[in-house]
Amino acid sequence: MTPTTLAPFLRPEGFGPVPAAAVLREGSVVTELGRYALRRGRERLERRPFAGGSPGRELEPVVLVPGFLVGDLTMTPMAQALRRDGLHTYRSHIHANIGCTVSAADQLEARLESVAARRGSQVRVVGHSLGGMLARSVAARRPDLVSGIVTLGSPVLAPGAHHPSLTASVELLVRLSRAGLRGLMAEDCVAGVCARSAFDQCQAPLAPAVDYTAVFSRRDGVVDHRACVDPAARAVEVTSSHLGMVVDPEVIDLVREILAQPRQLSLVEVDRGEIA
C-alpha cells in the first residue's frame, strides 16, 4: 500500500522534520513528572488550601484539550493544579485525539458552547500540541465564545514539522481508516481538502480581544519549536520536553499565572522564561 505523503503546505519552507535523535530529549518527562509528584505530595502533607483563597467565581472557566494520540487523562495534573487555585476546569471530552482535525474542532466548539452556557461566561482554553491547534481554530471563528487561549508546544505554523515517529503514527491511522475503521484520521485529513481546511482554520486571524499565549521549548523533541511561535501570540519559552509540558511545575505555574488574571496580561507579567 502506498505511503501517505503529508501535504506540502503542512510543512512550509523554513521548517523541517525533527531529527530522529531529538526524541531522546523527551526522556526528561520522567524527571518533570517526578517534580510534579514531589510538589503534589508536599501540598497534600501541608493540607494547603486553594492558593488563591476561595474559588474565584469571577474568573472564566477553563477547558483543557489534550494532544495527538492521547485523551483528557493526560491533562489531569494541570487540571488539579488549576482547581487548587479556585479555577473551574472542564475536560474537552476527547478520549483519544486521533480523528479528523476539522471534526475535532467542531466537537470542541460544541463543548465550549456547553461550558459557556453552564457558567454564563466566555471560556479560556489550554491546549497541548494538537489540542492547542484545535483551540486556536475555534478561537478564530468564535471570539464571542473564547476569551483567551494558551497553547503548549503547538506547531500552528507547520503542523507537519514533527518527529518521524509522529509521521509513522499518522500513516498507521490512515491505513486503519482505509481498512474501514471509523473515527480515525483519514488520508484527506493529511493530504487533501480536509487538511487544507484544518490548516486554514488554524491560520485564521484572531480578534484583538482574544488573549493568546504560545508556550514553546527549544528542548522539544517532538515538534519543531519554531513552528510553535505564532506571530499572533505572546510567545513564552520554557525548558521542558514536549510531553512534559502538561506535568512540568514550571509550565503549570506559568499557566496558573496567566489564567489567574481576569484581564489581559502584559509581556512582563507572563514572562516565566525567555520571551521570543
Side-chain angles (χ1 to χ4, degrees):
M1 190 172 289
T2 304
T4 300
T5 301
L6 293 177
F9 57 78
L10 294 179
R11 189 187 294 165
E13 185 177 353
F15 300 98
V18 175
V23 75
L24 296 176
R25 296 197 292 265
E26 293 300 306
S28 66
V29 67
V30 176
T31 302
E32 291 150 359
L33 183 58
R35 288 202 297 267
Y36 172 82
L38 286 173
R39 173 186 284 188
R40 185 79 173 108
R42 286 197 301 268
E43 290 175 345
R44 284 177 173 174
L45 288 174
E46 295 169 359
R47 300 178 183 274
R48 195 178 74 176
F50 289 108
S54 59
R57 296 184 182 276
E58 75 284 355
L59 298 178
E60 294 157 325
V62 180
V63 175
L64 304 173
V65 190
F68 181 52
L69 296 177
V70 297
D72 285 325
L73 186 63
T74 60
M75 305 300 288
T76 299
M78 186 165 291
Q80 291 175 337
L82 297 179
R83 287 197 297 270
R84 287 196 296 276
D85 279 355
L87 287 159
H88 298 281
T89 66
Y90 294 85
R91 296 182 178 185
S92 67
H93 287 175
I94 294 177
H95 303 297
N97 209 345
I98 56 177
C100 170
T101 305
V102 171
S103 295
D106 291 342
Q107 293 167 11
L108 177 61
E109 181 177 352
R111 174 59 173 160
L112 298 184
E113 287 178 337
S114 175
V115 173
R118 178 177 177 180
R119 302 302 311 178
S121 71
Q122 288 181 295
V123 180
R124 299 196 199 189
V125 189
V126 178
H128 179 224
S129 198
L130 176 57
M133 295 167 62
L134 297 176
R136 196 198 184 292
S137 297
V138 176
R141 67 194 190 200
R142 293 297 305 275
D144 61 311
L145 185 63
V146 180
S147 65
I149 60 174
V150 180
T151 59
L152 307 174
S154 301
V156 297
L157 302 181
H162 49 58
H163 192 270
S165 62
L166 258 66
T167 304
S169 298
V170 169
E171 174 62 25
L172 176 59
L173 291 176
V174 170
R175 287 176 180 268
L176 292 174
S177 179
R178 288 174 184 158
L181 292 183
R182 297 182 178 181
L184 301 180
M185 195 173 287
E187 187 166 7
D188 190 46
C189 299
V190 298
V193 174
C194 183
R196 180 81 252 183
S197 177
F199 184 71
D200 289 345
Q201 287 181 26
C202 196
Q203 299 294 308
L206 292 168
V210 177
D211 191 46
Y212 179 14
T213 301
V215 180
F216 72 99
S217 173
R218 296 177 196 271
R219 295 190 61 255
D220 198 312
V222 176
V223 303
D224 185 340
H225 74 271
R226 298 171 300 172
C228 304
V229 186
D230 189 338
R234 178 189 312 105
V236 183
E237 182 174 0
V238 294
T239 59
S240 74
S241 63
H242 183 85
L243 299 177
M245 285 189 184
V246 294
V247 296
D248 189 336
E250 175 196 4
V251 180
I252 291 176
D253 285 348
L254 170 62
V255 174
R256 290 165 70 177
E257 185 175 333
I258 295 170
L259 298 179
Q261 301 294 333
R263 58 183 175 80
Q264 185 170 353
L265 299 173
S266 69
L267 288 172
V268 174
E269 287 173 310
V270 298
D271 181 13
R272 300 283 298 185
E274 178 181 333
I275 295 182

